[in-house]
Structures are given as structure tokens and as C-alpha cells.
Amino acid sequence: MSHFQFESGIEDCLEKLSAPLARVTTPRWKRKKNNSSATIPLSPYNGNRMLKTPCKSPKRKTGKTPLKTPRTSRKTPHKTPGRTTPLVDRFIPSRISMDNDKNYFQLVSEVDKGIRENELSPEALEKVHYEKAVKDNLENESDSRILHFKQKAPAARDGYQNNLRVVYCQNRGSSKLKSSRYICKVAEKILDAPGLLNDFYLNLIDWGSNNCIAIGLGAGVYIWNYETQMTKHLLEIPNNDYASSVSWVKEGNVLAIGSSDTCIQLWDVEKEKCLRTLAGHAGRVGSLAWNSCILSSGGRNGKIINHDVRIAEHVVSTLHEHTQDVCGLAWSPDGRMLASGGNDNLVNIWSPLVGQAPLHSLTHHQAAVKAVSWCPWQSNVLASGGGTADRHIRMWNVTTGECINSIDTKSQISSILWSKEYKELVTGHGFSMNQLSIWKYPSMTKVADLVDHSARVLCTSLSPSGEHVASAGADETLRIWKCFDRSQLKKKSAAGGLVKKTSKTNLNMINKIR
């Protein structure tokens, strides 16, 4: 009897195992198939009974364990219905086989093997060669150079100027403008100068040792005190004439004023009194230069007159070598030689103690020479600058008459000033830059450009302290620039002394250790 009960129990278990399970999770691949095939979601039925798909399958109450699915089923999307744990059916490709570019060109190369090259058109043949080259580069990644220059860019023609100032070119050239100190690119003060004559050949401003700037504005001459910021009207030239040049004596309050009426007036500015009048020129006096008590004046007819202002017969000597307007005059620091520049493109070096003939007549410039200036620490070095057709700064050894250096500034040069502390030059420019430029001497590399003037710079002058530069432009403005800050120079020298002292201390410590 027990035997029959055991067999009936086994049959009941087998029927239960073969029957569909009611509470089981639907496989993911089956859910995807049902969602893609059905346009309207329907409730799954199994006869009259709705199938529920809970997130987790409940534990079976039967004590028998269902048949286990082989482990290989984890790698296939077909899952056993009795499986209750979710399986990962995501396909993970091999990363090595994902190099699409390489696979494509390998495929193309395999196809091209069966095609004879002589049956292809020139365009198709060129494409095949190109793809083969790309394939070789892809296979040899370490040595591949897909993009490279076959030859360098063509060089620019001689004399080419980039007027557009392309950013790339400017950045490459900016290394020349790099400075170790800060230079303010904006004028410290801007003063109106109405009536300033736009004449390249006149010298209308000068900064005296009393810290006052004299400026000629038409027929009037004005004095502006830098310390008090006060302006004084000194004189007015009558008969529709105008002031053509001004120059302070080296030390004192005496101002020499040349005018278009061929005369030179000497004024005591503090007392506002005219001391005397000097005559001798046949035309306007465009340039003046002091050497102690000797005043040199350059006229429009090319004549240079040396006046001794202490005596009644003031004309000491007359130098007549220029054929046109003498627009630049400068005495050397030791007072032995006089340099003159004229509208005849000449630079003459004179020694009045030797004779009335020039020691050297320099003919390198191709335009009028207004800018002449002596080096303050090398008495035998002279700098000169040419006009619009020349645009060159030239350095001269006046002992031999040899041109030491020459640089093209790309712009008209109206003045040159020297800074003894920084060993630099400041040049004033007209057409076409209308700016002030600072150059390092003797390398002549550009340090900075000051470009506030809207018209050409006519004249410049250096302050007694050597820190500031005054510039008068055709835009009828007088601008004060702080080009040579002595405080920065002192900091630099103090830092150098500190480094030297530290090095000496370290050396003493090393000796003690030894």
C-alpha cells in the first residue's frame, strides 16, 4: 500500500513541475519582443488567469529545489523560465576590433587586391594610392606624419611693410618691445597749445633748468611752470611776425627767442624784461643752441652765427656751409664741437676754435636733418635723424666721421633726446607714426612706443631731472611723459646691492664652515 502512495506522490510532483509557473519574472528578451511587436499594450493572459510580473519572485513554499539552469545560459539571451535572478544580456564588444578606420582601410585594401591598376581611371588610381598611404600610416602609428609641410612659406619681398599690423606679426615682434621696467603709455599731463605752428623746421619748446617750459604759440611766447602748474604770457611779437625758436640758457632764467623778423631777443623771465636784441640774419631764425655764454643761431639762408652775449659786438664767427634752412643745432657736452643739420640733407661737424670750415660734412641722410643730439657720456658720439624720405637714426663717430650704426624707424624723425641714467634714446616722429619711441643704446632695440598724439610730433625736450619728456604736436597739444622713472632705477640698484651683499655673506659662511 505504501508503494502505491509513493508512486502517486511522485506523479503529483511531476505534474506540478511540468505545469506553467504562475508567479515568475518574464525574461527581458521576451519583454522586448512583446513591446516591439505590439503597438497597443495588452495585458498578458494565460487562459482565464492574468499573469503578474512582480519585481522579485516569491520564495517557493515547496521544499523541492527546481532544476538548475546550466551556467552557460548566463551568456545567452534565452533564459530558463524558472530562473528568478535577472541575467545580464548586454553585449560587450572587443575594444581591439573597434578601430573602424583601420578596419575600413584593411577591407578596402583587400578588395583592391583583386583589381588590376591598369584597368582603373587616373582618379580612381590616385584614390587607391592615397588610401594605401593612409593605411600604412595607420599601421605604423609611431612613425606616421599625416600632416606636414613640404616646404617653408615664401619669404616677403624686400622693403615689405605690414601696414595692417597683423596680430601674429605684432606678437612675434613684441619681444623687441619687452622692457624690464614699467613705462606708462599715457601722458601724465596734456595741455592745450592753440596756435602752435605746424612747421617741421621750427624749434618751439624748451625745458629749462628752472623747471619751466617755454613754448612759442604763433606770435606769443608762454612760460609754463611744472611745479606750480602756472602759465605766464611773456611777450607778443608785433607786425604779424611769429616766434620760430626758443632756447633756455644752461643755468639761469635767460631765454633766447628767435623770430621770423630775423632778430633774436634775450629775456629775463623772472623779471619779465628784455635784456637785448641780437641781429645778423637775413631770414627767420629756426634753431638756437647755448654753449655757456656763446649762443649759436641758424638762419633760413643756411648761415650759422655764433654770438657772445657778454660783449657789444656780439658776432664772434659766421659759419656758412649749408645751402638751405638750418633746422638743427647742438653743442657737444664738452663745448668743443658744434653739430648742425639742415634742409639740404647735410650734417656738419664744426670746431669754431679750429676754423670756419666743417671738420666733417656727412651726406648719408636722404632728407632734411632736424634731429641732432650728442651722447652725454660719450662726447665723440652724435645721433642724427632724417625726415620723411630718410627715416633713419644714424650714429656717428665725430673723430673719424664714420657712421657707427643706422636703423630705419619707418617714420619721419623730428627730435632725439638722450637719457644718461638708462642709457636710452627718445625719438619724436611725424609721418606716419606720430609717436614717441624709446630705444636701448647701443643695441638700438625698441623699448616702448608712446602713441597718444593724433598728429605728428614737432618738438621734444627733456626735463632737468631727466625723468620727464615734453612733446609738442601738430594736434596743438603739449604732453608730459614720465619715460625715465628714477625710483625704479634706485630699486634696481638697491636690489643689486642686496644680492651682492648676500653673496658676500654666504661666502663668509662657507669659509667659516671650511
Side-chain angles (χ1 to χ4, degrees):
M1 188 70 180
S2 61
H3 174 71
F4 292 107
Q5 291 178 355
F6 176 75
E7 288 182 352
S8 62
I10 293 175
E11 289 178 357
D12 292 339
C13 292
L14 292 174
E15 287 179 0
K16 290 181 180 180
L17 291 174
S18 60
L21 299 177
R23 303 174 65 85
V24 64
T25 303
T26 305
R28 184 178 178 185
W29 65 270
K30 195 170 185 178
R31 292 200 306 269
K32 288 184 178 180
K33 184 178 180 180
N34 293 336
N35 294 334
S36 61
S37 60
T39 57
I40 300 175
L42 298 176
S43 298
Y45 281 89
N46 185 7
N48 296 327
R49 188 177 178 183
M50 181 183 293
L51 296 178
K52 297 182 180 180
T53 56
C55 296
K56 292 184 180 180
S57 299
K59 295 182 179 179
R60 295 179 61 87
K61 294 181 180 181
T62 179
K64 295 184 178 182
T65 305
L67 297 176
K68 292 184 179 181
T69 305
R71 285 187 175 272
T72 55
S73 62
R74 291 176 179 268
K75 300 181 181 179
T76 61
H78 303 284
K79 295 185 290 185
T80 306
R83 188 84 178 185
T84 59
T85 57
L87 299 179
V88 178
D89 60 347
R90 181 165 54 91
F91 174 70
I92 301 176
S94 175
R95 301 303 181 192
I96 301 176
S97 62
M98 292 290 289
D99 194 349
N100 296 328
D101 292 338
K102 186 173 182 180
N103 294 336
Y104 170 75
F105 288 115
Q106 286 179 350
L107 179 62
V108 170
S109 62
E110 293 294 334
V111 173
D112 290 341
K113 286 181 180 179
I115 302 175
R116 289 179 296 177
E117 295 184 356
N118 55 2
E119 295 180 358
L120 297 177
S121 62
E123 294 80 5
L125 186 60
E126 183 179 358
K127 185 178 180 180
V128 169
H129 291 326
Y130 170 75
E131 292 175 349
K132 184 178 179 182
V134 174
K135 174 178 176 279
D136 296 339
N137 286 330
L138 289 174
E139 291 179 351
N140 303 323
E141 295 180 356
S142 59
D143 300 331
S144 62
R145 290 184 61 191
I146 297 177
L147 297 177
H148 65 280
F149 293 102
K150 293 183 178 180
Q151 57 184 1
K152 294 183 179 179
R157 64 179 184 274
D158 295 340
Y160 172 75
Q161 298 182 21
N162 186 6
N163 296 325
L164 297 179
R165 297 188 176 187
V166 182
V167 176
Y168 176 73
C169 297
Q170 290 299 308
N171 289 340
R172 285 182 62 88
S174 63
S175 60
K176 296 182 179 179
L177 299 177
K178 188 176 181 180
S179 176
S180 59
R181 72 179 191 279
Y182 172 73
I183 300 176
C184 184
K185 302 298 179 65
V186 181
E188 187 179 88
K189 296 184 182 298
I190 303 176
L191 306 174
D192 288 328
L196 182 68
L197 297 178
N198 185 8
D199 194 330
F200 176 78
Y201 304 100
L202 305 183
N203 294 271
L204 296 175
I205 66 169
D206 193 28
W207 202 329
S209 60
N210 54 2
N211 217 6
C212 293
I213 299 177
I215 181 170
L217 302 177
V221 177
Y222 295 82
I223 308 297
W224 182 73
N225 192 311
Y226 178 78
E227 294 178 356
T228 63
Q229 311 290 308
M230 299 297 293
T231 304
K232 178 167 56 178
H233 184 202
L234 185 62
L235 78 148
E236 193 78 15
I237 300 175
N239 302 327
N240 294 325
D241 288 314
Y242 56 88
S244 55
S245 58
V246 292
S247 180
W248 289 96
V249 71
K250 188 175 181 180
E251 295 179 359
N253 290 315
V254 178
L255 177 67
I257 303 170
S259 61
S260 61
D261 62 357
T262 73
C263 293
I264 303 170
Q265 298 182 33
L266 301 181
W267 280 75
D268 187 333
V269 175
E270 187 176 355
K271 297 179 180 179
E272 299 184 20
K273 179 181 179 182
C274 182
L275 301 177
R276 66 181 301 182
T277 300
L278 308 177
H281 287 282
R284 71 179 184 188
V285 182
S287 56
L288 295 169
W290 285 92
N291 181 19
S292 186
C293 297
I294 303 296
L295 174 64
S296 299
S297 59
R300 194 166 195 175
N301 59 353
K303 184 185 294 185
I304 300 172
I305 301 177
N306 293 320
H307 312 265
D308 191 340
V309 298
R310 299 170 297 180
I311 57 178
E313 299 294 330
H314 55 85
V315 178
V316 178
S317 61
T318 301
L319 311 175
H320 200 168
E321 188 69 21
H322 290 280
T323 58
Q324 296 185 38
D325 200 339
V326 178
C327 48
L329 283 175
W331 280 93
S332 62
D334 56 9
R336 295 181 179 181
M337 286 182 284
L338 173 67
S340 64
N343 194 27
D344 53 2
N345 309 344
L346 292 179
V347 177
N348 289 325
I349 309 298
W350 310 85
S351 180
L353 300 177
V354 176
Q356 296 184 356
L359 297 177
H360 303 286
S361 187
L362 312 174
T363 61
H364 291 60
H365 287 287
Q366 305 299 317
V369 183
K370 178 185 178 182
V372 287
S373 183
W374 294 86
C375 178
W377 64 90
Q378 291 179 323
S379 58
N380 63 331
V381 175
L382 174 72
S384 62
T388 306
D390 182 77
R391 307 174 302 182
H392 280 74
I393 300 174
R394 302 183 191 275
M395 299 293 171
W396 307 94
N397 184 342
V398 296
T399 305
T400 61
E402 179 185 1
C403 182
I404 304 171
N405 195 3
S406 177
I407 182 171
D408 188 0
T409 63
K410 312 296 182 183
S411 185
Q412 179 189 50
I413 304 171
S414 58
S415 61
I416 297 177
L417 302 173
W418 292 82
S419 172
K420 186 175 182 180
E421 288 77 11
Y422 280 93
K423 301 295 189 295
E424 293 175 352
L425 297 91
V426 181
T427 54
H429 296 276
F431 179 82
S432 61
M433 301 298 184
N434 303 331
Q435 66 184 16
L436 275 74
S437 297
I438 303 176
W439 308 82
K440 196 71 179 177
Y441 180 82
S443 61
M444 295 306 294
T445 55
K446 187 176 288 188
V447 178
D449 286 329
L450 311 178
V451 295
D452 263 8
H453 279 286
S454 59
R456 65 177 178 175
V457 179
L458 298 170
C459 312
T460 61
S461 185
L462 191 65
S463 66
S465 64
E467 290 185 305
H468 296 83
V469 173
S471 62
D475 54 0
E476 295 187 344
T477 61
L478 177 67
R479 299 174 187 261
I480 310 298
W481 312 82
K482 193 167 187 178
C483 299
F484 309 106
D485 190 355
R486 287 192 171 185
S487 62
Q488 297 187 34
L489 197 64
K490 290 178 181 179
K491 289 180 182 178
K492 187 176 180 181
S493 61
L498 180 62
V499 171
K500 187 175 180 181
K501 184 177 180 180
T502 305
S503 301
K504 188 175 181 180
T505 305
N506 294 337
L507 183 60
N508 293 335
M509 292 177 63
I510 292 172
N511 293 333
K512 288 181 180 180
I513 293 173
R514 289 179 179 177

